């Protein structure tokens, strides 16, 4: 992507953000799904930012895509989570592991907004350890038959197709069970979904669970080879974690903008609250979160671009994986602290969803849970320092 294309993309992202802001604010306070995210993203052609141009996308590198997600993240974690589900963990596995036929069938349509995507790995009894999943598949007359339940899936109630994971049935209790990945069309018979709305935040985004009851998937919808599922899931988590980190950088930027604006207008004890040094402490800390998070996201995105440029170099892939984990852990915690401090600077108004800091605080908490909870990432980072023999789990 050259400079001109990057500028054009960021202008489109900016226009989308300006148009979505008043709608998102209204949906948030009314606790309803924001049904304008998709049409507006389609209007501004940002439904396939990193998808190659040959498949209809904008062809952005990871650094540019992260800049776009940081901008979108300022509009709220719910809005950004839609893009993570659709692009970072929905389109990405198809881009990296799909056959040419599968790419042709799903990528251009998803870029045009005709097919909305999601990623279904988590199950009621398999979260941090996806290998404890119980979904199964078996081959029958040229098709794969899928059974199981997927839980807490972003875009799961609005998706037209979902990247899903399941064990080969015959081997589910055997010695070497194989996990495979499929693209499942949600209009297929036996697919039943339910929106999950009792959430602590992101009320305007879609989170759902779904059941696959003898869902038939055509053979050509297998991603990679049979048995590649776990590798595909872990690959998607790299792009997914980067998207969460980038979105949280946007949250920090927005918190900083809000506290600067509010604290220089609000007066108490005869002066702007920005002149009270304990308020300046919050502002300094949010600014430090912003600059350090910017560096982390950029470095992690560069590592991913380096790995993508040389796909046969396994060391670069490993580096991209660990950088994504570090950036996700660091920036989500920084965003949580930044939102908490922004709420504090806003005082009583901060503790209201009518103001942006309160909404960010509600929303950003989940970023320390999904796509690898804090604890899981810490274990991964520690073993990257200590060595393979200290891995908490394989
Ligand atoms: C709003 C939302 C959207 C989501 N979107 C998606 C999606 O699009 N697709 C998808 O597949 N999933 C999605 N998820 C699921 C998410 O990825 C999981 O919730 C997450 O991986 C944690 O799994 P769990 O909830 O089962 O918690 P558990 O795995 O049960 O963990 C509970 C706690 O135990 C800790 N823990 C677990 N194992 C260990 C260990 N070995 N050592 C130390 N601590 C440990 C965890 O860190 C955590 O603190 C979403 C979740 C939410 C809330």
């Amino acid at each position: 992507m050259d400079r001109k294309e990057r500028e054009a993309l960021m202008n489109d992202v900016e226009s989308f953000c300006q148009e979505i802001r008043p709608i998102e604010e209204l949906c948030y306070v009314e606790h309803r799904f924001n049904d304008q995210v998709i049409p507006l993203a389609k209007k501004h052609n940002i439904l396939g930012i990193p998808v190659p141009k040959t498949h209809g996308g904008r062809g952005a590198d990871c650094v540019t895509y992260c800049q776009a997600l940081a901008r979108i993240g300022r509009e709220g974690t719910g809005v950004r989570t839609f893009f993570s589900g659709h692009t970072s963990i929905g389109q990405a596995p198809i881009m990296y592991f799909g056959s040419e036929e599968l790419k042709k069938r799903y990528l251009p349509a998803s870029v045009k907004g005709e097919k909305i995507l999601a990623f279904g790995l988590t199950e009621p009894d398999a979260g941090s350890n996806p290998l404890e999943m119980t979904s199964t598949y078996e081959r029958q007359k040229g098709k794969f038959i899928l059974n199981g339940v997927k839980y807490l899936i972003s875009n799961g109630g609005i998706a037209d197709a979902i990247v899903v994971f399941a064990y080969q049935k015959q081997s589910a209790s055997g010695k070497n069970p194989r996990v495979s990945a499929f693209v499942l069309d949600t209009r297929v018979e036996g697919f039943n979904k339910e929106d999950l709305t009792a959430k602590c935040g992101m009320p305007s985004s879609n989170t759902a669970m779904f059941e696959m009851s003898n869902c038939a998937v055509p053979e050509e919808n297998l991603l990679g080879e049979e048995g590649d599922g776990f590798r595909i899931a872990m690959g998607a988590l790299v792009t997914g974690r980067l998207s969460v980190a980038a979105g949280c950088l946007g949250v920090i930027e927005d918190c900083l903008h809000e506290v600067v604006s509010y604290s220089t207008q609000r007066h108490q004890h005869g002066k702007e609250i920005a002149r009270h040094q304990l308020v300046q402490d919050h502002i300094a800390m949010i600014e430090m979160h912003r600059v350090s998070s910017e560096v982390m996201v950029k470095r992690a995105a560069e590592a991913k671009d380096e790995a993508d440029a040389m796909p046969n170099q396994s060391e670069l892939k490993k580096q991209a994986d660990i950088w994504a984990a570090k950036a996700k852990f660091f920036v989500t915690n920084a965003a949580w602290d930044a939102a908490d401090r922004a709420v504090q600077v806003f005082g009583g108004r901060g503790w209201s969803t009518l103001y942006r800091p309160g909404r960010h605080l509600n929303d950003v908490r989940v970023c320390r849970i999904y796509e690898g909870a804090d604890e899981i990432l810490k274990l991964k980072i520690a073993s990257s320092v200590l060595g393979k023999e200290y891995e908490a789990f394989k």
Side-chain angles (χ1 to χ4, degrees), residues 243-259:
S243 76
V244 178
C248 285
L249 169 60
V251 169
I252 300 170
E253 289 169 351
D254 198 48
C255 287
L256 186 67
H257 176 267
E258 290 294 306
V259 294

Side-chain angles (χ1 to χ4, degrees), residues 286-304:
I286 299 173
E287 168 62 359
M288 289 314 296
H289 287 323
R290 186 189 68 77
V291 291
S292 41
S293 296
E294 198 175 76
V295 172
M296 286 293 280
V297 170
K298 184 154 185 287
R299 184 64 197 95
E302 283 168 353
K304 179 71 178 128

Side-chain angles (χ1 to χ4, degrees), residues 45-284:
N45 189 18
I46 57 168
L47 282 169
I49 296 175
V51 172
K53 288 184 208 160
T54 45
H55 291 109
R58 305 286 292 249
D61 50 73
C62 199
V63 170
T64 306
Y65 179 43
C66 283
Q67 283 166 358
L69 285 170
R71 178 61 193 90
I72 293 167
R74 291 172 72 164
E75 301 314 316
T77 296
V79 178
R80 193 273 306 151
T81 296
F82 163 76
F83 287 90
S84 294
H86 178 69
T87 294
S88 306
I89 50 180
Q91 288 168 331
I94 301 173
M95 275 160 55
Y96 285 105
F97 297 98
S99 63
E100 207 41 48
E101 153 72 15
L102 214 52
K103 288 181 193 173
K104 278 192 188 138
R105 213 144 30 90
Y106 288 94
L107 292 179
S110 62
V111 170
K112 287 188 211 142
E114 292 161 6
K115 283 189 194 295
I116 296 306
L117 303 181
F119 173 88
L121 179 64
T122 304
E123 299 187 359
D125 293 320
S128 297
N129 184 7
L131 290 173
E132 281 169 331
M133 76 173 84
T134 55
S135 288
T136 60
Y137 73 89
E138 59 185 324
R139 240 179 231 271
Q140 268 181 27
K141 295 181 192 150
K143 287 192 175 358
F144 293 105
I145 306 298
L146 269 63
N147 281 285
V149 174
K150 297 290 174 180
Y151 184 49
L152 288 168
I153 307 304
S154 304
N155 304 344
I158 57 168
D160 300 287
I162 308 182
V163 175
V164 292
F165 301 84
Y167 275 115
Q168 188 182 21
K169 193 171 181 186
Q170 300 84 309
S171 62
S173 55
K175 267 196 167 162
N176 293 305
R178 297 204 287 185
V179 177
S180 297
F182 308 88
V183 182
L184 169 77
D185 282 314
T186 57
R187 281 184 196 87
V188 73
E189 210 174 305
F191 179 88
N192 289 299
K193 62 189 178 182
E194 188 181 330
D195 287 344
L196 302 170
T197 54
K199 301 183 285 188
C200 289
M202 304 201 304
S204 58
S205 74
N206 180 268
T207 315
M209 63 187 290
F210 60 86
E211 184 182 17
M212 302 173 287
S213 181
N214 289 322
C215 287
V217 173
E219 263 185 336
E220 57 273 20
N221 280 30
L222 175 73
L223 274 174
E225 304 286 326
E226 270 190 90
D228 281 348
F230 190 63
R231 190 165 68 89
I232 293 172
M234 294 304 108
L237 287 181
V238 177
T239 42
R241 284 170 185 165
L242 272 173
S243 76
V244 178
C248 285
L249 169 60
V251 169
I252 300 170
E253 289 169 351
D254 198 48
C255 287
L256 186 67
H257 176 267
E258 290 294 306
V259 294
V260 168
S261 157
Y262 187 80
S263 66
T264 50
Q265 287 170 36
R266 173 76 174 165
H267 286 71
Q268 284 297 282
H269 296 275
K271 53 186 174 186
E272 299 156 34
I273 59 169
R275 294 194 184 277
H276 296 305
Q277 291 178 353
L278 293 178
V279 171
Q280 290 189 4
D281 168 61
H282 293 306
I283 295 172

